[in-house]
Amino acid sequence: ITVTAPEASNTVTVSVSLSVGEITIGTGTTSNNSFPINTNWHDERTQVIYLASEIGVPFTINRLRLYVTTVPGQRLNNWTIRMKHTNLNSFEDPAWESTGWTVCYQANRTISTTGWVTFDFTTPFAYNGTSNLMIDFSFNNSFYTTAGACRVTNVGSVRTIYYYTDSGYGNPLLWTGYTPPPNSATTIPNI
């Protein structure tokens, strides 16, 4: 904002910043161990659509939290959270989106507690406030243990696709189209 006093020749520039705080999407209390932290398999990938009406306003996303109900049995190697804007409201024809992603978080991550688990982004995501938001979660392990679980909310339409395998399709970050063929769900992870 620039303010100029009529009788002065000086211009004063004032910066205004709006802090959105925390937005929670999903109120369900049901647990799901199929996605996105199912370490009962070597590899897993999950893509979820969150609607603009659930998010509300444009802002920079600096972190994401998942509500963990069961701790995964092992470290999530190459645990990656990617985001992008999308015009999709649901997965009418479930297929892996493979382009246009911003990698927000990527690390080998051990989850050791239940409740809200935070992932602080190394690359924040500038959400535009009008498009829907697609989030892609994946990990790439070489063995399996016991599955972790997160709270989910049933939204009534297919807004999640996922697949898990024992190293059957290579790096999950490279899955594209219908390979491997994604499973679909009407529940979304609470974030």
Side-chain angles (χ1 to χ4, degrees), residues 116-184:
W116 288 109
V117 175
T118 303
F119 306 95
D120 290 314
F121 291 172
T122 53
T123 304
F125 184 80
Y127 174 66
N128 67 17
T130 56
S131 299
N132 294 330
L133 177 66
M134 188 177 288
I135 303 179
D136 183 275
F137 303 92
S138 68
F139 64 85
N140 190 359
N141 290 344
S142 58
F143 62 96
Y144 61 86
T145 53
T146 57
C150 292
R151 279 192 181 164
V152 295
T153 298
N154 192 325
V155 293
S157 63
V158 176
R159 289 185 22 209
T160 298
I161 60 173
Y162 65 98
Y163 195 82
Y164 38 75
T165 179
D166 287 336
S167 302
Y169 290 92
N171 185 347
L173 291 172
L174 304 178
W175 297 352
T176 184
Y178 303 103
T179 305
N183 300 305
S184 59

Side-chain angles (χ1 to χ4, degrees), residues 180-191:
N183 300 305
S184 59
T186 60
T187 55
I188 60 172
N190 294 358
I191 60 170

